Amino acid sequence: MSIKKTHPPDRSLAVQVTVIALIFLVGGRAACAKQAPMWELGAGIGHIRFPDYRGAESISDYRVGFPYLVYRGDRLKLDREGFRGLLFESEHWKSDFSIDGSVPVDSDNGGLRADMPDLDPALEVGPSLVYEFSRSSARTVALHLPVRAVIATDLRKAHLEGWVFHPHLRANYWGRFNFGVSAGPLFGASSYHRYYYAVDPDYATPERPAYRPDGGYSGFRITLSVSRRFGRLYVGSFLRYDDLSGAEFADSPLVETERAVMAGVSMAWIFAESDRMVTIAVNER
């Protein structure tokens, strides 16, 4: 496993874990099939580019190797949506878990956070309620209602930093290439907004006044993805756009821009798979 960043990271292990999770969890869907191996094992490489935090102008590039793991159990699943435990499922409704994350921010690199405490990488995890408007062999359209706790950690200690709620519509289409698009607002607790955008009086300067945001609206997000499976080779990419205009923290002195873009590409080679085949739903990865 290897990782290369355009500026040297101080907490490389935390960065590796977070970036691997982002590349593994975010991207396009694999080809639709009625029968698939119960498990698949492989390895991949990826390149991901994103701001240090939403609203920052500083951009980081990461190149990373990651494991490609898929498990398609009846109730437990591990795929490009992460580890999921299916809580219940009906004709249109289902409930499982959703995961997201962010990388650490080193304040010693300068910028608006100079001389402030570093930000640990954050893992977002929690239940998601999903309503499928339509499902066919070629496409799905669904409303996702994930609520996630935000846990910041340097892999030695962890602390809860509030919660986020990201209702969004997601549509997927499977053909020779597999396309996905999702769009929706974000909402965050006051403690979540303060973790990234508050300026305590001890760290205030004439150019960076003290600031304490409230909870509420946290911006609007659109994510596009495309992927294709060539035999044992998987290739995928994504583009994510955040609009922070009108967010509760938009007037924070730590916000440099109201536009945030994240993008990434990855490929993986599947070198082992189960002889046992299972029937999967058309909207499973």
Side-chain angles (χ1 to χ4, degrees), residues 99-170:
I99 301 177
D100 205 342
S102 62
V103 297
V105 177
D106 185 357
S107 298
D108 291 338
N109 289 330
L112 297 183
R113 293 192 59 87
D115 300 321
M116 293 183 64
D118 295 338
L119 296 179
D120 289 330
L123 175 68
E124 302 175 11
V125 58
S128 178
L129 189 63
V130 180
Y131 180 82
E132 290 186 329
F133 294 98
S134 66
R135 176 196 293 185
S136 72
S137 60
R139 64 181 181 276
T140 61
V141 179
L143 173 65
H144 292 250
L145 303 170
V147 179
R148 299 188 291 262
V150 181
I151 304 169
T153 178
D154 61 1
L155 304 183
R156 295 186 298 270
K157 62 182 184 302
H159 41 99
L160 182 66
E161 296 296 344
W163 55 267
V164 292
F165 175 47
H166 179 33
H168 60 278
L169 287 171
R170 181 186 297 175

Side-chain angles (χ1 to χ4, degrees), residues 2 36 48 58-59 67 85 93 100 162 222 239 249 266 281 284:
S2 63
I48 191 169
S58 53
I59 302 295
W93 290 96
D100 205 342
I222 301 173
L239 177 67
F249 53 80
S266 63
E284 287 189 40

Side-chain angles (χ1 to χ4, degrees), residues 8-165:
D10 286 343
R11 290 168 288 178
S12 59
L13 179 58
V15 173
Q16 281 196 73
V17 172
T18 307
V19 174
I20 288 172
L22 286 170
I23 290 178
F24 187 73
L25 298 174
V26 183
R29 292 180 177 247
C32 175
K34 296 294 182 63
Q35 292 286 315
M38 172 168 276
W39 57 263
E40 296 176 321
L41 177 64
I45 57 174
H47 183 106
I48 191 169
R49 177 180 175 86
F50 48 85
D52 288 343
Y53 59 91
R54 299 169 66 225
E57 288 187 343
S58 53
I59 302 295
S60 296
D61 287 273
Y62 296 89
R63 288 179 289 277
V64 62
F66 63 93
Y68 182 95
L69 305 172
V70 172
Y71 177 75
R72 302 180 177 97
D74 292 335
R75 309 298 295 183
L76 297 178
K77 300 180 186 296
L78 175 65
D79 54 28
R80 290 187 64 81
E81 289 187 26
F83 176 79
R84 293 177 291 140
L86 186 63
L87 302 179
F88 74 86
E89 185 173 23
S90 64
E91 181 179 358
H92 291 285
W93 290 96
K94 69 176 181 179
S95 179
D96 55 25
F97 288 92
S98 68
I99 301 177
D100 205 342
S102 62
V103 297
V105 177
D106 185 357
S107 298
D108 291 338
N109 289 330
L112 297 183
R113 293 192 59 87
D115 300 321
M116 293 183 64
D118 295 338
L119 296 179
D120 289 330
L123 175 68
E124 302 175 11
V125 58
S128 178
L129 189 63
V130 180
Y131 180 82
E132 290 186 329
F133 294 98
S134 66
R135 176 196 293 185
S136 72
S137 60
R139 64 181 181 276
T140 61
V141 179
L143 173 65
H144 292 250
L145 303 170
V147 179
R148 299 188 291 262
V150 181
I151 304 169
T153 178
D154 61 1
L155 304 183
R156 295 186 298 270
K157 62 182 184 302
H159 41 99
L160 182 66
E161 296 296 344
W163 55 267
V164 292
F165 175 47

